[in-house]
Amino acid sequence: GENVEQHPSTLSVQEGDSAVIKCTYSDSASNYFPWYKQELGKRPQLIIDIRSNVGEKKDQRIAVTLNKTAKHFSLHITETQPEDSAVYFCAAPRGDDKIIFGKGTRLHILP
Amino acid sequence: NAGVTQTPKFQVLKTGQSMTLQCAQDMNHEYMSWYRQDPGMGLRLIHYSVGAGITDQGEVPNGYNVSRSTTEDFPLRLLSAAPSQTSVYFCASSYSGQWREQYFGPGTRLTVT
């Protein structure tokens, strides 16, 4: 069944504004939550990840927040730039050695 | 390091044909996996392996076989290609399982007519 739900599927923001993408997961044993960025025609690449012993992690303009009680985590991109246009995927491990990805969010940065 | 490599980059098959997508990594990663990417469906796990000699099914395993005879290689076999298998296929590897960064290959774009 569905383990990782991601919203929204498409997001358009003005350059310079912030973007937020949310994911929920179902396996309460999950304790590692990565975000991947996929540019057009390229492979997915990790941009940030968080483990369940912290609630927030930042790396320059990107941050990830985690709410283990509610089983959701979010990607925040501030001061968006044209190069942030891409598809973003969240993922969460399942206890049976699998890692399950969300369906992706296509982010458009509008000039 | 070459990282994760995949061959071929592109492939066209006729319905019923079989073929093998190759994946290799030179990072001594134990964990390897295959995903397919379709529009609006994200990355769906086909098969994965936690080490040489060990494989298991993912979310969408039907129509695909895998084997893992070495740490480096993880080929994906399509037994009898169907148009529903038209997709982009990504191989990925990581150092110690699903709790670490997944390194993706460049992908194989497969069309089945």
Side-chain angles (χ1 to χ4, degrees):
Chain A
E2 189 73 29
N3 294 109
V4 181
E5 294 193 11
Q6 182 172 346
H7 299 281
S9 57
T10 305
L11 179 61
S12 296
V13 299
Q14 292 292 138
E15 183 178 346
D17 288 350
S18 296
V20 181
I21 305 169
K22 298 180 180 178
C23 282
T24 60
Y25 61 97
S26 57
D27 188 347
S28 56
S30 296
N31 64 8
Y32 173 66
F33 306 94
W35 286 91
Y36 290 79
K37 176 182 181 182
Q38 186 180 29
E39 297 177 349
L40 191 61
K42 302 285 182 64
R43 71 191 80 184
Q45 291 190 293
L46 181 76
I47 54 170
I48 194 167
D49 56 13
I50 191 169
R51 297 187 187 273
S52 60
N53 55 344
V54 297
E56 182 177 6
K57 183 177 177 181
K58 292 182 75 171
D59 183 3
Q60 299 182 9
R61 294 186 298 107
I62 60 172
V64 56
T65 58
L66 172 64
N67 183 327
K68 281 221 78 177
T69 303
K71 294 187 191 170
H72 65 73
F73 57 110
S74 300
L75 177 70
H76 305 255
I77 306 174
T78 58
E79 300 171 23
T80 52
Q81 299 171 3
E83 55 264 35
D84 295 329
S85 292
V87 178
Y88 293 81
F89 294 97
C90 64
R94 269 190 6 201
D96 53 354
D97 292 323
K98 296 184 176 72
I99 181 160
I100 305 299
F101 283 78
K103 292 186 177 180
T105 296
R106 185 171 297 278
L107 176 63
H108 299 276
I109 306 301
L110 306 173
Chain B
N1 285 353
V4 181
T5 58
Q6 290 182 239
T7 55
K9 284 188 168 54
F10 302 94
Q11 183 70 50
V12 179
L13 290 178
K14 294 189 188 309
T15 296
Q17 288 184 317
S18 62
M19 79 159 294
T20 299
L21 307 186
Q22 300 293 344
C23 173
Q25 51 88 13
D26 60 359
M27 298 175 282
N28 202 32
H29 285 172
E30 292 292 326
Y31 189 90
M32 296 186 74
S33 53
W34 276 101
Y35 291 87
R36 59 177 290 173
Q37 184 173 28
D38 304 292
M41 298 299 292
L43 294 158
R44 291 185 292 171
L45 181 65
I46 304 172
H47 285 285
Y48 66 100
S49 168
V50 299
I54 306 169
T55 63
D56 209 341
Q57 296 182 347
E59 303 171 274
V60 289
N62 292 342
Y64 308 94
N65 271 0
V66 291
S67 60
R68 184 96 181 271
S69 55
T70 67
T71 298
E72 294 77 21
D73 300 297
F74 191 42
L76 178 72
R77 279 183 288 279
L78 279 70
L79 309 172
S80 177
S84 61
Q85 294 179 304
T86 293
S87 189
V88 179
Y89 291 84
F90 286 100
C91 178
S93 73
S94 74
Y95 175 62
S96 64
Q98 81 271 48
W99 310 96
R100 296 291 183 102
E101 176 178 1
Q102 305 292 312
Y103 292 84
F104 284 84
T108 294
R109 184 174 293 276
L110 176 69
T111 302
V112 183
T113 62

